[in-house]
Amino acid sequence: MSELFDAVDALVASRSPLPPPTERRRLRQAHALTLDEVAAALGVRRATVGDWESGKTEPRPPQREAYARLLEQLAQLYPATEGTGAPQERTGATPQTTPGTAPKAPPAPAGPVPEASAPATSDSTTPAVPDTAPPAAAPSRPSPAARPATTSRRPGAKKAAAANTPATPAPGGAYAHGPLLVLDADADRNVTGYGVGGLILDVPAKSLPALVEWTLTEAQLGAERLHGSGKDADPLLVLTEAACERYGLPAALSHEERLAGRLPEGHKVVKQLERAEWKLTKRGLGPWARIYRPAQGGRRSCVQLCIPSWRALDGRAWGHAAQLEPAELARVLGLYATRVMTPVGSTAVTGLQLMTALNPPTRASAPDAEGRRHTEHRPGSLGTQPMDPAPCEAPDGHPVLADLPRFHVRGPDEKLFEEAYDWARDLTDEECMKRHLVGIDVNLAFGAAANGAVVGLASPPVHVANPAFDAALPGSWLVDLSHVDLNRVKVGKQWRDLDGALLPSPFTPSGRRPEGPAWYATPTVAYAVELGYDVAPVEAWVRSESGRFLDGWYKRLRDAYVATMADLGVAEKLPPDEFLTAMDGYKSRDPEAGIVVDAIKMTVKGGIGKLQEKARGGGWKPGQTWPALARPTWRPDIRATVISRARINMHRKMLHLAAATGRYPVAVLSDCAVYAADGPSPLDVLPYDADGKTVPGSFRLGVSPGMVKHEGTQSVLWGANVLEQLAGDGHVANLARYIKTGEVTAKDTGE
């Protein structure tokens, strides 16, 4: 009999009415479910669930019965609310605004000196406005590991601004709704904003100018300044394809627009902004756009746009973020904004801007006789004026080299060439008898190298002839290091005999021994002294004003990286074996947090790279200036110092390991080293005792920057085949380039 009852129940359920498509979507989002999660539970494709929610198709048995049951349970948890108030949050918090009253505009940051009329473009850094007001308390960080609690609005809710007022901010907090919103539009052209912590807001604006106005006056978006003398972060709006179409923007740029990086000036939306007296920076309305009005009375009026479908989120840094659902994308970008800073462009641009946000160039002076404050240089910063590099530090084509012959090629004695390692050698007979090649990779190597780096600040380089080397003085030194013999070096305080032919030279990116005088950054020359050798510079360009400009930048990114890795189950101070276990498939535990980890890594690398941004565009000619040179943060000398420290740190670890164990790398690529070993694990390369201690000064397994993780393992036979396959003209293939996946592409082979 029970089987008959079950059959009757199934028959009734197969014909039971379903809520309308918009309500289906609301219920799913209210429970923070993704399309992928619902599709997996029902055994259908993601696109199928999307069609059910858009009304394109209707579910059919047997999925219809299960889908109806899911929606029925969700409707009990999240009933549609009546009234015109703002949507309620799952936590039960209700908006504290009176219906019919518009919220007050968020207060502008107090500052005695007006800001520059135009905000920074995504590829430039402008001086921060001095401010004597104490910085507001940093907002509490939401738990990133948990799925965000969401809000929802009932279908057909009124869109009037007064009827959708955001919740009252916490006392003293001007940015109650976080740093950003991801905007999406439905089939009825209603726009919904997805924010940090699962927040969902109705967006009443009908045009892009109205959207900017609403963002600045009602949305309560933004982020507190990272330094008391800095400036608050502008609100960020991320537009999905549907939101772009709603506001008259194309879902994708045309080929010509993509090459130009923006919409044409005659586009109707650009004209709308002009009529409403909004301005665009020189980059125009592109993937990352800034819309602003000149500052008045110290109040900043600027909104940043990010348009993923216009390729704003580069897949090399953000993975598949551009394909995420709006709520999921809001979580990814919100987590990054909370732990790093609100994105202002690519991860490289954001990394550079973070340096200025944490170390502003100006501050408010003490009151003068009339009680007024003025802008003054803030000690420890790079200042507000761009600076020409020393000739040896300038990249090819820089204006300071305009007097060189047209086709002159500068050698090591004319050009500072501090770059990361790209070195490899053939396997020895003993290494060929081992079974595995194990790659180990340094975490945030350039970030760790930036920590504690003493760099030149706002003073220009000064030329000195026949100087005495001073390791505490940042600069570039012309010195002959060809006499340094890696067969006999100081390791700590003891002289040790090693096989120098099996180690790369620490003084060149290629690992080859230098052949004569060459320009080096201070850390490279200091390492030659550390190895026990005398140095006699011929000349130098040094900077008298110096400091640890990047320490705060490193700490911010280090904390962001370590905290996000902890969310993925990889904590600090794990024993080596537990660390390797935790790292196995760590991104699969939370793919969204995994995206943030990769973005943080690219922020470190890109930020350092931006310190020497090269000329771009077909119209530039050698000897001419280019836009990046106008930034105080265009500092190739600082980049050279960081990269020098990273390469020296890598060599020091390899040297200590070789001295203690007789193990030498077979390949090094930037922050990855490959060793031959009897087993497949890094523990077969790095010796650990019963107390969990390894060789002092060498590689250590762990999540902290400067420690190492497992990059990949391949067989020695695989390595021998790759070396043979890519051999030619004395070239030895760098196995570190392929150790992670083992794949060698046709491009690598030249086919």
Side-chain angles (χ1 to χ4, degrees):
M1 185 66 68
S2 61
E3 295 179 355
L4 293 177
F5 288 163
D6 291 341
V8 170
D9 291 342
L11 184 62
V12 172
S14 68
R15 299 293 189 273
S16 60
L18 295 173
T22 55
E23 177 68 0
R24 302 171 196 174
R25 179 185 179 190
R26 184 192 75 82
L27 291 172
R28 174 179 63 80
Q29 293 176 341
H31 202 60
L33 296 175
T34 66
L35 290 174
D36 289 322
E37 290 172 330
V38 175
L42 300 177
V44 297
R45 295 185 302 112
R46 180 181 185 275
T48 301
V49 180
D51 289 343
W52 296 346
E53 292 187 357
S54 65
K56 293 182 180 179
T57 61
E58 289 294 315
R60 303 173 64 181
Q63 285 81 15
R64 182 187 175 94
E65 176 183 356
Y67 189 47
R69 183 179 180 86
L70 169 67
L71 296 176
E72 180 182 1
Q73 294 179 359
L74 293 178
Q76 294 175 359
L77 293 173
Y78 314 104
T81 58
E82 296 296 332
T84 58
Q88 296 185 4
E89 299 203 11
R90 281 179 57 187
T91 56
T94 56
Q96 301 177 6
T97 53
T98 303
T101 60
K104 296 181 180 180
V113 181
E115 296 199 40
S117 60
T121 65
S122 60
D123 277 338
S124 64
T125 303
T126 56
V129 179
D131 195 336
T132 55
S140 58
R141 295 177 178 173
S143 172
R147 284 282 175 185
T150 60
T151 63
S152 61
R153 59 177 173 82
R154 65 177 177 82
K158 291 178 65 177
K159 294 290 182 178
N164 292 282
T165 54
T168 302
Y175 308 118
H177 291 146
L180 57 88
L181 283 179
V182 178
L183 305 186
D184 193 25
D186 59 23
D188 297 326
R189 296 173 62 81
N190 298 320
V191 180
T192 303
Y194 299 82
V196 175
L199 175 73
I200 297 181
L201 294 176
D202 285 345
V203 180
K206 305 296 184 182
S207 66
L208 191 58
L211 175 64
V212 176
E213 193 76 45
W214 173 84
T215 302
L216 292 171
T217 59
E218 300 179 33
Q220 300 186 50
L221 294 174
E224 301 288 349
R225 64 196 66 185
L226 298 179
H227 189 282
S229 295
K231 59 188 177 185
D232 292 358
D234 298 319
L236 173 64
L237 299 179
V238 185
L239 275 59
T240 64
E241 292 187 30
C244 285
E245 294 175 354
R246 172 65 183 84
Y247 290 117
L249 298 170
L253 296 178
S254 67
H255 178 69
E256 293 77 12
E257 293 166 345
R258 193 164 60 250
L259 291 177
R262 70 187 77 185
L263 292 180
E265 294 183 1
H267 193 277
K268 62 179 182 180
V269 176
V270 177
K271 294 294 186 182
Q272 287 177 2
L273 292 170
E274 291 176 352
R275 287 194 296 269
E277 298 183 346
W278 289 106
K279 296 181 179 294
L280 292 163
T281 60
K282 292 182 180 180
R283 294 186 64 84
L285 187 50
W288 291 92
R290 284 186 177 273
I291 304 173
Y292 72 97
R293 283 180 179 144
Q296 296 181 352
R299 180 178 178 180
R300 184 180 179 87
S301 298
C302 180
V303 173
Q304 171 110 17
L305 298 186
C306 168
I307 306 179
S309 62
W310 293 7
R311 302 184 182 182
L313 300 176
D314 190 335
R316 292 169 295 182
W318 292 101
H320 64 284
Q323 284 74 51
L324 292 175
E325 289 287 302
E328 297 165 351
L329 180 57
R331 179 181 176 238
V332 167
L333 294 178
L335 180 57
Y336 180 91
T338 302
R339 290 184 171 168
V340 180
M341 69 176 291
T342 305
V344 293
S346 66
T347 50
V349 170
T350 303
L352 190 72
Q353 293 277 18
L354 181 62
M355 296 178 192
T356 302
L358 292 167
N359 206 330
T362 61
R363 67 181 181 186
S365 67
D368 60 16
E370 299 178 355
R372 297 180 179 178
R373 298 180 184 269
H374 306 276
T375 300
E376 66 178 13
H377 171 69
R378 197 180 70 80
S381 73
L382 300 184
T384 61
Q385 299 301 315
M387 186 186 307
D388 281 340
C392 62
E393 297 166 349
D396 293 336
H398 191 280
V400 301
L401 305 175
D403 293 336
L404 289 179
R406 182 176 180 184
F407 297 106
H408 178 73
V409 178
R410 294 186 293 163
D413 59 340
E414 296 177 282
K415 179 181 179 181
L416 178 69
F417 192 64
E418 294 283 11
E419 299 294 341
Y421 267 129
D422 187 352
W423 169 86
R425 62 172 175 81
D426 286 319
L427 299 172
T428 65
D429 292 342
E430 181 181 355
E431 289 166 342
C432 288
M433 298 303 294
K434 297 184 181 294
R435 299 182 59 186
H436 301 280
L437 293 170
V438 180
I440 53 177
D441 181 78
V442 179
N443 302 317
L444 294 188
F446 296 116
N451 185 35
V454 178
V455 301
L457 296 177
S459 60
V462 176
H463 184 260
V464 183
N466 299 314
F469 176 69
D470 184 352
L473 197 59
S476 301
W477 309 78
L478 181 61
V479 58
D480 189 351
L481 300 180
S482 61
H483 64 290
V484 177
D485 184 2
L486 294 181
N487 289 301
R488 184 162 178 78
V489 295
K490 266 190 177 180
V491 181
K493 295 183 179 180
Q494 296 181 342
W495 284 92
R496 301 293 299 268
D497 292 323
L498 301 174
D499 190 343
L502 300 181
L503 281 172
S505 167
F507 309 127
T508 62
S510 65
R512 298 188 183 95
R513 189 168 179 169
E515 298 177 352
W519 285 99
Y520 301 101
T522 297
T524 303
V525 185
Y527 188 57
V529 177
E530 179 183 328
L531 294 178
Y533 291 85
D534 295 330
V535 296
V538 178
E539 57 179 305
W541 288 89
V542 296
R543 291 168 170 83
S544 57
E545 183 185 353
S546 62
R548 295 167 61 160
F549 171 74
L550 295 173
D551 276 10
W553 182 80
Y554 160 76
K555 187 178 186 302
R556 179 82 176 176
L557 291 166
R558 179 230 179 255
D559 291 349
Y561 177 77
V562 170
T564 311
M565 289 296 290
D567 296 336
L568 291 164
V570 186
E572 290 188 282
K573 299 181 180 179
L574 289 176
D577 53 345
E578 293 183 20
F579 168 73
L580 292 173
T581 300
M583 286 293 294
D584 188 16
Y586 70 100
K587 289 184 182 179
S588 63
R589 297 175 195 137
D590 187 342
E592 293 168 16
I595 293 175
V596 177
V597 166
D598 288 341
I600 293 171
K601 293 178 183 177
M602 293 300 291
T603 302
V604 174
K605 291 184 178 180
I608 297 299
K610 275 284 183 180
L611 291 168
Q612 186 180 293
E613 183 179 356
K614 296 182 179 179
R616 294 181 296 176
W620 176 81
K621 295 180 180 179
Q624 296 178 343
T625 188
W626 60 92
L629 300 186
R631 295 194 316 247
T633 49
W634 191 85
R635 292 293 298 271
D637 58 299
I638 296 180
R639 175 185 178 273
T641 296
V642 173
I643 294 179
S644 167
R645 283 172 57 91
R647 194 181 67 247
I648 294 307
N649 288 345
M650 194 75 175
H651 192 274
R652 186 182 290 113
K653 294 176 189 297
M654 294 186 293
L655 187 74
H656 281 76
L657 183 62
T661 67
R663 294 170 185 161
Y664 295 84
V666 300
V668 185
L669 183 65
S670 188
D671 48 10
C672 176
V674 176
Y675 284 84
D678 293 319
S681 168
L683 293 175
D684 296 306
V685 175
L686 309 179
Y688 277 86
D689 59 22
D691 296 329
K693 296 181 179 180
T694 187
V695 177
S698 183
F699 300 104
R700 288 192 301 150
L701 290 165
V703 72
S704 298
M707 301 177 76
V708 298
K709 61 181 179 294
H710 186 201
E711 180 71 0
T713 295
Q714 306 295 333
S715 69
V716 168
L717 179 60
W718 165 88
N721 289 336
V722 171
L723 292 174
E724 182 179 357
Q725 183 181 6
L726 302 182
D729 298 329
H731 171 74
V732 178
N734 194 323
L735 298 178
R737 182 171 281 110
Y738 316 107
I739 193 70
K740 187 171 186 176
T741 64
E743 297 179 359
V744 179
T745 65
K747 179 180 178 180
D748 296 318
T749 61
E751 296 179 0

